[in-house]
Amino acid sequence: MRKLYLVRHATPNFKDDIRLCIGKTDIDIGNKGIDESKKLRDFFSKKQINSIFSSPLSRCVSTAEIISDGKLEVNIDAGLMEIDMGEWEGIPLKDIVKELGDEPLNGEKRVDALERMENAIIEIMNSTAGDVICVAHAGVNCAFIAKVIGADIKTSRAIRQPYASYSCFEYENFEFKCLEIGILPEKESELK
């Protein structure tokens, strides 16, 4: 049985440490994100990973490159891009007034982002062999997880996805089964 590890990118290098709502804004990871990515690298070095895919945004590519440690090529797939946040793009999170089911004006709908993400992941799984890592973003990851576990996509943002965490799925016969959600590598090692 194959596994898919869906990873949220490491912490972006936000200017003045002010967390922003970012979808398509391209912000790379900083020192904290590099340290988090190294923990992911150490965790995945003990796994038999055959392929690594990444959203084209720098925060994902940098995370994926550190995880790969030069041992696997990082394949870029635009289907793994974050949801376009429309009017919320670039706004500090503390300044956005929203309810859990809200979506930004002029942004991408979660259902559309889910369809894009799901198509990309199915194509990735069907064009590769063995276990796969996909480095993407909280919004699309949560939408995909919600679909797999049968949760309401309108409240998918409530699914736990810390920076530099992974969710694990089994994949067989075109079906995904969720095994773990939002696990930080250092927390996983503490559980054993």
Side-chain angles (χ1 to χ4, degrees), residues 77-170:
D77 192 313
L80 302 176
M81 286 276 291
E82 179 60 298
I83 299 169
D84 180 344
M85 294 298 169
E87 68 178 354
W88 295 345
E89 190 78 32
I91 304 293
L93 290 176
K94 65 180 179 56
D95 295 340
I96 299 174
V97 179
K98 61 184 174 188
E99 296 295 322
L100 188 55
D102 287 354
E103 297 198 71
L105 292 177
N106 305 316
E108 185 177 20
K109 301 289 183 207
R110 275 188 289 253
V111 293
D112 296 333
L114 169 60
E115 182 178 356
R116 169 176 50 81
M117 174 77 159
E118 185 176 30
N119 289 339
I121 289 177
I122 289 170
E123 175 63 28
I124 287 167
M125 296 306 288
N126 292 338
S127 65
T128 60
D131 293 349
V132 175
I133 296 171
C134 288
V135 182
H137 308 267
V140 289
N141 287 4
C142 289
F144 181 77
I145 292 165
K147 167 114 189 240
V148 172
I149 65 174
D152 186 347
I153 192 170
K154 290 179 185 173
T155 58
S156 64
R157 279 199 309 263
I159 295 172
R160 186 174 185 276
Q161 286 289 283
Y163 289 121
S165 67
Y166 70 88
S167 298
C168 182
F169 305 83
E170 286 181 346

Side-chain angles (χ1 to χ4, degrees), residues 29-103:
I29 60 175
N31 291 333
K32 181 177 183 181
I34 291 168
D35 291 341
E36 293 167 340
S37 298
K38 288 177 180 176
K39 290 175 183 172
L40 285 165
R41 177 199 63 205
D42 295 345
F43 171 77
F44 285 116
S45 71
K46 298 172 184 84
K47 307 280 183 200
Q48 183 62 45
I49 303 297
N50 293 71
S51 304
I52 298 179
F53 288 79
S54 173
S55 156
L57 295 175
S58 299
R59 56 194 182 268
C60 290
V61 174
S62 294
T63 301
E65 287 175 343
I66 292 170
I67 291 170
S68 80
D69 202 24
K71 296 180 175 115
L72 291 171
E73 176 185 356
V74 174
N75 302 283
I76 305 301
D77 192 313
L80 302 176
M81 286 276 291
E82 179 60 298
I83 299 169
D84 180 344
M85 294 298 169
E87 68 178 354
W88 295 345
E89 190 78 32
I91 304 293
L93 290 176
K94 65 180 179 56
D95 295 340
I96 299 174
V97 179
K98 61 184 174 188
E99 296 295 322
L100 188 55
D102 287 354
E103 297 198 71

Side-chain angles (χ1 to χ4, degrees), residues 3-23:
K3 288 189 177 169
L4 164 67
Y5 293 94
L6 190 54
V7 174
R8 183 183 185 192
H9 61 78
T11 302
N13 189 22
F14 291 118
K15 184 179 179 194
D16 299 324
D17 287 327
I18 298 172
R19 290 185 58 192
L20 305 174
C21 181
I22 53 174

